[in-house]
Amino acid sequence: MKKLLTCLLLFIILGILLNMTGLLGSKPIDENNQPTSTPTIVVDKPDVSNDSYIPITVDNETNFVTSWYTQGTDANVQSTATFDKQDVKVTYPGTTIASAQLFRDGIPLLKGSSYVLTADVNSTVNRDIEISFGDADTGEVYATDRITINGYTSVRFEFKMNSADKWNGRISFNLGNDGTANTSAEHTITVSNIRIRNGTKNDNTIKVNQIGYTIGNDKKCVFPYNQGDLFDVVNVKTNEIVYTGAIVNGVKNEKTGETNFTGNFTNVITPGTYRVEAQITGTSFEFTIGDDLYHSLSNDLLKFFSFQRCAYALDPAWAFDLAHIACHDTAAIVYDDPTRVIDVNGGWHDAGDYGRYVKTGTKAVNDLMLAYIANPSFFKDDAGIPETGNGIPDILDEARFELEWLMKMQADWGGVYNKAVTQGFPGDISPDEDMQRIYVLPAESTTTAGFISTMAIASIAYKDVDPTFAAACLEKTKKSWENLVNTPDFIEFTNPTDFTAGEYRDDKDSDERYFAGMAMWYATGDAQYLEYAKENYTKDNSATKGTSWSDVGAYGSYLFLMNSDAKKQGTFYETIKNEFKTQADILLGIINADGYQTSLENYSWGSNGYAANNGIQLMFAYDIFGDISYKQGAIEQANYILGKNSLNMSFVSGYGKNSPVNMHHRLAKSKNAFLKGALVGGPDNDREDTITAQLGANVPPAKVYVDQYLSYSSNEVTIYWNSALIYVLSRIN
């Protein structure tokens, strides 16, 4: 017994000692009585199984309206329809077989094309019917065929269009008097599984995600005009129809100049290569259904950043035709103190030019780090960047390249210079041929706050991979935080008159300050940072909005709401949560009303980037609320970018059957090389370059895009559009 008591006493003493050293999980306390370890951050998606969002039965009735009609000249006929069947009741057949018709107009009949009509026909009496192809406007008939229906009959009718193109063709099932006594009795004719195919060529009019759809996610396609009542999903390898569904939700779309219809084939979950075929002649590009579809695409989107590296030699071993020696590697002049020069080598060229900007750089690197934090298993060490193979996920290697440059942009007094640029944009030359002097332009309150947010997030992203670097990032925030707090005014620097570099003008800094406070609370748990964020929200309640480079508040709200300690904030927590839900629901409302399920109300410079940013916000909402509709909204933004749009284009170079080849990118232009994995800006209805300005005034907003190098307002590329798409793809894969 004495020995047992001695052991028990030793165990208690050991427990006390372990607890004092923190090994039993208590948080270490700093001199300000604040926990130095981070609060619990929950960033994984809710546990939602595939069964909960793959519907057991697809709804083929809601918002379905048949595109087939019946008419009688001297006959009496009525019809009822489902998406795959027409029941026609013939009360009185009239005098001729054409007296009663089941017909469909608006069918494109192109000269030289062969057309095949197939259908299943059943009649309650034995009788003849007639099928005809003709011109709905003039009544001219191109071809007819008379068929005897004896019970259930499969019919097939082929004809070749030898006349000029007709865009309002008519197909008619003539169901009137066939000259026999049978048709004089009241009877019903059922016509089902009607399909009209262009047997000569695929037209690829149906819009799909040209990369493909992951097995467990929603799968939708868009028809740019009324292409019938049903669509088929066809296995390309076997040419078999694996799914048939209804074409629904006709929406007049002013932004595209179309009336759009939707098909839902979410229940197709067998991996393979497929195409969609409409009831009336339309087809889609081929696409894939499978798992892990977006890994290679995300790798190339990430490798784009390596091509953007400044003051760094791009080796032919990995950069191929885009290789060049190190560029812009001389000391930079401090603009407001021209006697000083500093080292700001490194970082990413922002876009198609060679400027480096803190505002856009922090946005881009935040997207990369938050994507890694949310789904680290998605990112591998295999993107083909210079650091590939070092055992660290390439996304962290690439992000670190920018982080180390951002550290150089921090002045010794804590402010952060806003950009490193030359006085003017160079010509179409390689960056190593640009010999202009580099200038760093004065610090701004937005860049200082943005720097703090980014370094705080970095301290979390790297804590397990490189704790020393993570600690260094957090240490860097101290001087900048002091400067930010002691400089309450909004400070922005406009370009000098002799500079033509990009400006990235902002109109406030409340959102950056709010984000900075929330990010620091996220990283440290120190209540002073949360209080600072609250103060900035009180001053400007719009500070919580946005996931762009200029409006960053939603990042701050996300970090706050995903923090396990946030609920302790009571009313403030509920306010921010409700605001976040309202913002996400507004996006869903736009998506649900749009024919292509995009979140874009307007098409301005960088519209594709805005779509991707909205996808980020919707995934944030999914994490917070667990509502699958938010994830589905994010999926639709990726689908739009990757081909399900009115231009039928995947906006990422080198991906999809139809993608950009002439992006506005000086390096690629100077090397006459192809830049793969770059997301272009997309339609810009403001027509801000000489190319889009030449498009006719009748071109709809969603189609003001030109795949030309000089169309910089629609076809340039940037780091912060690529980063946003990487985030979305990593979350929906």
Side-chain angles (χ1 to χ4, degrees):
M1 176 65 71
K2 182 177 180 181
K3 183 180 292 185
L4 178 61
L5 290 173
T6 301
C7 292
L8 181 60
L9 179 62
L10 288 172
F11 181 79
I12 292 171
I13 293 171
L14 178 61
I16 293 171
L17 291 172
L18 288 171
N19 193 51
M20 289 173 62
T21 60
L23 296 180
L24 290 185
S26 64
K27 294 181 179 180
I29 304 296
D30 68 11
E31 67 273 14
N32 295 316
N33 200 36
Q34 295 292 340
T36 59
S37 63
T38 59
T40 303
I41 307 297
V42 183
V43 293
D44 290 331
K45 65 183 180 182
D47 184 16
V48 181
S49 68
N50 283 355
D51 289 343
S52 68
Y53 58 92
I54 297 178
I56 297 172
T57 302
V58 172
D59 181 2
N60 286 309
E61 296 181 1
T62 302
N63 295 329
F64 167 74
V65 178
T66 184
S67 60
W68 292 82
Y69 300 91
T70 54
Q71 69 178 8
T73 51
D74 58 347
N76 187 353
V77 290
Q78 294 177 315
S79 67
T80 58
T82 59
F83 77 96
D84 58 353
K85 184 175 67 171
Q86 300 278 338
D87 289 317
V88 183
K89 182 179 180 180
V90 182
T91 304
Y92 175 68
T95 56
T96 70
I97 198 167
S99 292
Q101 294 181 329
L102 171 69
F103 69 97
R104 171 67 159 78
D105 292 344
I107 298 173
L109 300 175
L110 307 180
K111 184 176 181 179
S113 290
S114 296
Y115 293 89
V116 179
L117 181 150
T118 58
D120 297 322
V121 184
N122 187 35
S123 176
T124 55
V125 299
N126 294 338
R127 58 158 298 159
D128 287 354
I129 68 169
E130 186 177 74
I131 300 174
S132 70
F133 281 77
D135 186 335
D137 296 321
T138 66
E140 179 183 359
V141 175
Y142 303 128
T144 61
D145 191 17
R146 191 169 175 124
I147 301 169
T148 298
I149 305 301
N150 186 1
Y152 180 92
T153 305
S154 293
V155 302
R156 179 184 178 91
F157 178 36
E158 300 183 36
F159 101 100
K160 183 175 182 179
M161 181 65 174
N162 294 316
S163 300
D165 293 351
K166 300 293 182 182
W167 297 102
N168 191 23
R170 169 176 289 188
I171 292 178
S172 177
F173 291 86
N174 296 327
L175 310 176
N177 193 331
D178 69 353
T180 68
N182 287 345
T183 56
S184 63
E186 182 177 295
H187 61 284
T188 299
I189 302 170
T190 299
V191 185
S192 59
N193 298 317
I194 306 169
R195 291 171 176 83
I196 299 95
R197 304 290 192 229
N198 184 330
T200 304
K201 63 178 181 178
N202 294 332
D203 60 11
N204 302 320
T205 55
I206 303 168
K207 314 302 172 56
V208 296
N209 179 328
Q210 294 174 22
I211 310 306
Y213 303 81
T214 55
I215 289 174
N217 287 342
D218 269 16
K219 307 173 189 73
K220 294 178 182 177
C221 58
V222 172
F223 306 86
Y225 60 92
N226 192 330
Q227 292 180 268
D229 288 4
L230 61 84
F231 71 95
D232 298 317
V233 179
V234 179
N235 184 306
V236 170
K237 184 176 181 180
T238 64
N239 214 37
E240 295 177 350
I241 296 172
V242 301
Y243 179 79
T244 299
I247 298 176
V248 297
N249 295 330
V251 175
K252 187 173 178 58
N253 193 335
E254 299 291 345
K255 293 177 283 188
T256 65
E258 303 168 351
T259 298
N260 299 136
F261 296 79
T262 302
N264 187 329
F265 53 101
T266 299
N267 276 8
V268 181
I269 59 174
T270 302
T273 303
Y274 300 90
R275 68 178 178 272
V276 174
E277 296 183 352
Q279 182 182 52
I280 309 296
T281 72
T283 60
S284 74
F285 286 120
E286 295 177 2
F287 57 87
T288 300
I289 292 176
D291 283 323
D292 200 23
L293 290 185
Y294 304 133
H295 183 69
S296 294
L297 168 58
S298 294
N299 270 353
D300 279 331
L301 288 165
L302 180 63
K303 191 171 182 179
F304 165 81
F305 289 86
S306 294
F307 296 136
Q308 298 296 101
R309 291 186 183 189
C310 187
Y312 189 91
L314 274 58
D315 194 304
W318 61 269
F320 309 110
D321 292 341
L322 295 169
H324 63 78
I325 62 174
C327 62
H328 306 118
D329 54 359
T330 58
I333 299 171
V334 178
Y335 181 80
D336 52 358
D337 185 4
T339 62
R340 291 184 60 220
V341 294
I342 59 174
D343 171 19
V344 291
N345 289 347
W348 298 317
H349 297 145
D350 175 67
D353 62 283
Y354 303 136
R356 289 165 288 160
Y357 304 86
V358 169
K359 291 176 185 175
T360 56
T362 51
K363 148 68 177 172
V365 79
N366 287 342
D367 289 344
L368 300 186
M369 293 189 297
L370 289 171
Y372 175 79
I373 291 170
N375 189 12
S377 63
F378 179 78
F379 299 100
K380 313 296 182 186
D381 185 24
D382 64 350
I385 70 171
E387 294 79 12
T388 292
N390 66 357
I392 297 173
D394 283 341
I395 195 167
L396 293 183
D397 286 323
E398 196 57 62
R400 183 167 180 162
F401 189 83
E402 181 76 356
L403 291 167
E404 290 175 345
W405 173 74
L406 289 169
M407 291 178 179
K408 294 180 179 181
M409 293 293 285
Q410 183 188 38
D412 54 10
W413 42 271
V416 178
Y417 298 115
N418 77 79
K419 55 193 169 188
V421 295
T422 58
Q423 283 186 273
F425 293 121
D428 299 335
I429 59 175
S430 180
D432 56 292
E433 298 172 343
D434 182 10
M435 299 303 175
Q436 300 178 80
R437 289 302 304 267
I438 303 292
Y439 290 84
V440 290
L441 273 62
E444 300 176 326
S445 54
T446 48
T447 55
T448 302
F451 173 84
I452 293 167
S453 305
T454 297
M455 291 300 155
I457 295 170
S459 72
I460 300 299
Y462 290 86
K463 66 178 181 178
D464 295 329
V465 173
D466 189 339
T468 301
F469 181 68
C473 290
L474 195 59
E475 180 68 22
K476 280 285 185 179
T477 64
K478 291 181 178 179
K479 281 187 178 181
S480 292
W481 182 263
E482 182 179 354
N483 173 262
L484 185 69
V485 171
N486 292 330
T487 312
D489 294 333
F490 171 47
I491 299 173
E492 185 180 52
F493 184 85
T494 58
N495 271 352
T497 56
D498 56 342
F499 274 69
T500 59
E503 284 198 295
Y504 288 111
R505 297 284 300 275
D506 210 336
D507 58 4
K508 63 179 181 179
D509 64 5
S510 56
D511 53 321
E512 283 84 5
R513 290 176 184 268
Y514 172 81
F515 182 19
M518 289 304 187
M520 289 298 290
W521 186 59
Y522 167 99
T524 68
D526 190 331
Q528 68 165 313
Y529 301 117
L530 176 59
E531 291 306 312
Y532 183 81
K534 287 182 177 181
E535 290 171 9
N536 279 277
Y537 172 76
T538 301
K539 294 175 184 177
D540 177 11
N541 61 14
S542 70
T544 60
K545 297 179 179 179
T547 49
S548 67
W549 66 263
S550 59
D551 297 299
V552 299
Y555 289 105
S557 291
Y558 174 69
L559 295 181
F560 170 70
L561 292 169
M562 294 303 291
N563 192 313
S564 60
D565 290 337
K567 291 181 180 179
K568 298 176 184 178
Q569 300 304 313
T571 301
F572 181 75
Y573 169 79
E574 293 298 330
T575 298
I576 299 303
K577 183 178 179 181
N578 290 337
E579 281 192 7
F580 205 97
K581 188 174 190 306
T582 297
Q583 293 167 22
D585 287 345
I586 289 172
L587 292 176
L588 281 186
I590 298 169
I591 291 167
N592 292 334
D594 185 88
Y596 283 93
Q597 294 89 52
T598 73
S599 58
L600 298 173
E601 286 190 292
N602 303 298
Y603 289 81
S604 57
W605 193 321
S607 59
N608 286 336
Y610 286 113
N613 288 339
N614 291 339
I616 293 175
Q617 180 138 5
L618 289 163
M619 282 309 307
F620 284 174
Y622 174 59
D623 288 340
I624 295 163
F625 303 106
D627 185 341
I628 194 64
S629 63
Y630 295 126
K631 181 178 180 181
Q632 289 167 344
I635 290 168
E636 291 303 341
Q637 304 321 293
N639 289 342
Y640 167 81
I641 289 169
L642 297 176
K644 192 170 73 68
N645 54 66
S646 63
L647 292 168
N648 208 17
M649 169 174 276
S650 167
F651 287 113
V652 178
S653 58
Y655 281 87
K657 305 297 183 183
N658 179 31
S659 64
V661 295
N662 297 303
M663 297 79 70
H664 185 79
H665 190 263
R666 282 175 173 79
L667 171 58
K669 180 71 170 178
S670 69
K671 300 291 185 180
N672 194 26
F674 182 69
L675 174 66
K676 187 178 182 182
L679 173 61
V680 300
D684 176 19
N685 193 44
D686 296 326
R687 303 162 190 252
E688 298 171 84
D689 59 62
T690 57
I691 304 300
T692 53
Q694 295 173 24
L695 294 178
N698 61 336
V699 175
K703 297 181 179 180
V704 182
Y705 167 82
V706 184
D707 182 18
Q708 288 188 25
Y709 174 75
L710 292 177
S711 183
Y712 49 82
S713 76
S714 76
N715 215 34
E716 192 171 12
V717 297
T718 75
I719 55 174
Y720 53 94
W721 299 335
N722 263 46
S723 66
L725 184 55
I726 287 172
Y727 183 93
V728 174
L729 293 178
S730 72
R731 300 302 313 280
I732 68 173
N733 189 61

